[in-house]
């Protein structure tokens, strides 16, 4: 199996990969696995036991920008032809490819199954063309296609719609994390015959003790609060709204320290990896530096990279977490820590609704100083009634995520060559 579309420099995506590898290896004993990542050196460092290649787009980019329209079209036809030829005539296929392309195309062409990683990558906030093309090359080579648990859509680009219809019409399995994503496929005429709505696979990493800890969750007189922040400007499309979001988080921290005598730690899934474009701790540091002096002394900015287990340990030391990164929220819940989620995409509201937090999700574009403080107060007020629902929800999603091995074995086990 090849898993494509990875960005394990992002700690949330790394947690997704950890869970996927665990579930897939239980589903398909003896499975040989390779991954295609946007930053292969980082992926090789973090996953030395996996075969790692670049994503296809990294090795097929045209060299001359003045021929930008013609060269990509020719490259696509050439690479697709090579993929179709690979299994019958590898020599011909290799002759059609540049040296840098050969190993990536070989990886796709010799795979029994090519799976697009779980997460939220098939949304039009990002450029979908290179991701779809990699799946098209895999399909041309005869691989079985699978989409691992993700949120996707909505789709407005006609080219994307046509290509997705073609790809997903032959997919063995399309795993979605929410009903809204399934509706996005139906809205553009994509068959949902292969679709299954399942939990985010990172719930499979939740600790067995999480439900018990959530069930007994209480806020002490001086709570410990973890806060994850991120740069949301790509979603907000406004620097002013990003500043408003940061100011609202800062106002919450001031209130937590002054009114509740809380100790606050800024920590997130995306930090401590210099090769990655995003460093959430830089945003946290910016908020921290704007705090009043008396508040800064009760706050800490954690700038270290943590894998999912390390991050679970950090969240497990706190009484509550305020999370903008969705997987920070999932990992916190998996450690038994209640969460106040801030949503920058629909996925957060959908997934947190499955746990029982639907009424406590704040939209990043609408948070204000007073609103975020009021939302935190409401979470604590509801906690006695909420904690049992959280415990049941997390345990149910954990069990269902673990059960994905059976579904995967049934649907794709027969493709092993």
């Amino acid at each position: 199996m090849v898993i494509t579309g990875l960005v394990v420099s992002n700690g949330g995506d790394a947690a997704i990969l950890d869970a996927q590898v665990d579930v897939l290896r239980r589903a398909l004993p003896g499975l040989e696995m390779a991954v295609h990542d946007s930053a292969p050196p980082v992926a090789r460092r973090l996953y030395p036991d996996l075969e790692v290649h670049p994503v296809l787009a990294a090795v097929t980019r045209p060299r001359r920008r003045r021929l930008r329209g013609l060269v990509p079209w020719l490259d696509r036809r050439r690479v697709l032809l090579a993929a179709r030829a690979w299994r019958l005539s590898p020599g011909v296929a290799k002759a059609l490819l540049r040296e840098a392309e050969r190993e990536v195309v070989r990886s796709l062409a010799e795979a029994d199954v090519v799976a697009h990683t779980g997460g939220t990558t098939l949304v039009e906030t990002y450029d979908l063309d290179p991701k779809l093309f990699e799946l098209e090359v895999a399909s041309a080579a005869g691989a079985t296609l699978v989409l691992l648990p993700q949120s996707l859509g909505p789709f407005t680009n006609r080219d994307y719609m046509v290509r997705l219809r073609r790809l997903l019409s032959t997919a063995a399995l399309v795993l979605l994390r929410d009903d809204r994503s399934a509706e996005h496929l139906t809205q553009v005429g994509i068959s949902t015959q292969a679709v299954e709505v399942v939990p985010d696979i990172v719930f499979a990493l939740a600790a067995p003790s999480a439900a018990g800890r959530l069930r007994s969750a209480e806020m002490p007189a001086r709570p410990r609060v973890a806060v994850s922040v991120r740069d949301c400007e790509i979603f907000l499309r406004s620097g002013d709204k990003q500043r408003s979001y940061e100011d609202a988080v800062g106002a919450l921290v001031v209130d937590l320290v002054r009114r509740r005598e809380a100790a606050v730690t800024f920590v997130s899934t995306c930090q401590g990896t210099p090769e990655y474009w995003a460093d959430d701790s830089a945003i946290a540091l910016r908020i921290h530096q704007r705090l009043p002096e008396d508040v800064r002394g009760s706050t800490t900015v954690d700038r270290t990279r943590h894998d999912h287990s390390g991050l679970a340990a950090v969240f497990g030391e706190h009484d509550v977490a305020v999370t903008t990164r969705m997987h920070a929220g999932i990992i916190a819940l998996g450690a038994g820590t209640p969460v106040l989620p801030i949503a920058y995409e629909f996925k957060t509201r959908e997934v947190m609704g499955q746990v029982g937090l639907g009424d406590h999700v704040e939209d990043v574009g609408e948070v204000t100083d007073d609103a975020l403080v009021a939302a935190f107060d409401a979470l604590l007020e509801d906690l006695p009634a909420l904690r049992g629902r959280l415990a049941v929800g997390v345990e149910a999603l954990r069990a269902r995520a673990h059960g994905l091995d059976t579904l995967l074995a049934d649907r794709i086990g027969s493709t092993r060559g």
Side-chain angles (χ1 to χ4, degrees), residues 39-327:
V42 178
R44 291 185 186 113
R45 184 174 76 237
L46 298 177
Y47 295 92
D49 60 328
L50 291 179
E51 178 185 330
V52 177
H53 299 286
V55 293
L56 186 59
V59 295
T60 57
R61 288 174 181 155
R63 298 174 182 177
R64 292 178 289 177
R65 292 180 63 86
R66 66 185 179 85
L67 294 178
R68 201 170 177 181
L70 175 61
V71 175
W73 186 88
L74 293 173
D75 273 352
R76 288 172 187 276
R77 300 307 179 271
R78 176 177 55 79
V79 174
L80 285 167
L81 181 59
R84 291 189 184 100
W86 193 281
R87 297 191 187 197
L88 293 175
S89 183
V92 171
K94 290 176 184 177
L96 289 167
L97 298 168
R98 300 187 189 107
E99 183 178 355
E101 296 167 338
R102 288 172 190 156
E103 279 305 297
V104 180
V105 175
R106 177 200 62 78
S107 178
L108 295 169
E110 294 183 355
D112 299 301
V113 179
V114 172
H116 187 75
T117 189
T120 312
T121 65
L122 297 179
V123 293
E124 291 184 4
T125 304
Y126 313 114
D127 181 7
L128 301 192
D129 179 75
K131 300 163 189 174
L132 297 180
F133 183 61
E134 187 149 5
L135 293 175
E136 287 163 345
V137 170
S139 179
T144 297
L145 298 185
V146 171
L147 267 61
L148 295 171
Q150 59 195 276
S151 302
L152 46 72
F155 301 107
T156 59
N157 182 297
R158 289 188 176 277
D159 177 60
Y160 294 161
M161 293 181 205
V162 170
R163 295 164 73 184
L164 278 164
R165 284 191 202 107
R166 189 181 303 122
L167 285 166
L168 299 189
S169 67
T170 61
L173 190 59
V174 177
L175 299 179
L176 303 178
R177 297 184 298 199
D178 53 85
D179 291 326
R180 188 167 170 183
S181 292
E183 290 171 7
H184 291 157
L185 293 185
T186 301
Q187 286 165 3
V188 296
I190 296 173
S191 170
T192 56
Q193 184 174 355
V195 168
E196 299 282 351
V197 178
V198 300
D200 186 293
I201 202 164
V202 174
F203 280 108
L205 303 176
S209 60
R213 187 165 184 260
L214 286 166
R215 192 170 279 111
S216 60
E218 293 183 357
M219 288 303 108
R222 296 180 176 179
R224 295 161 298 173
V225 182
V227 178
S228 96
V229 293
R230 65 158 293 168
D231 186 344
C232 295
E233 194 166 339
I234 189 175
F235 308 100
L236 295 170
R237 301 183 181 184
S238 166
D240 289 342
K241 286 187 176 181
Q242 172 70 24
R243 176 61 187 255
S244 295
Y245 153 67
E246 293 178 18
D247 287 346
V249 173
L252 173 61
V253 172
V254 170
D255 183 78
L256 288 170
V257 172
R258 289 180 174 171
R259 183 160 62 97
R260 297 185 182 276
E261 299 184 62
V264 177
T265 302
F266 286 97
V267 63
S268 188
T269 52
C270 292
Q271 57 186 49
T273 305
E275 297 91 339
Y276 191 49
W277 70 271
D279 179 2
D280 293 349
S281 68
I283 310 301
L285 194 61
R286 190 160 70 205
I287 296 171
H288 181 263
Q289 289 170 343
R290 294 201 292 256
L291 295 172
E293 187 174 351
D294 65 299
V295 174
R296 284 201 302 271
S298 296
T299 64
T300 302
V301 178
D302 181 340
R303 306 205 71 177
T304 305
R305 182 194 180 275
H306 301 280
D307 61 15
H308 76 266
S309 58
L311 198 58
V314 173
F315 281 124
E317 294 171 351
H318 290 78
D319 301 298
V320 65
V322 180
T323 58
T324 311
R325 292 279 186 184
M326 189 183 76
H327 282 100

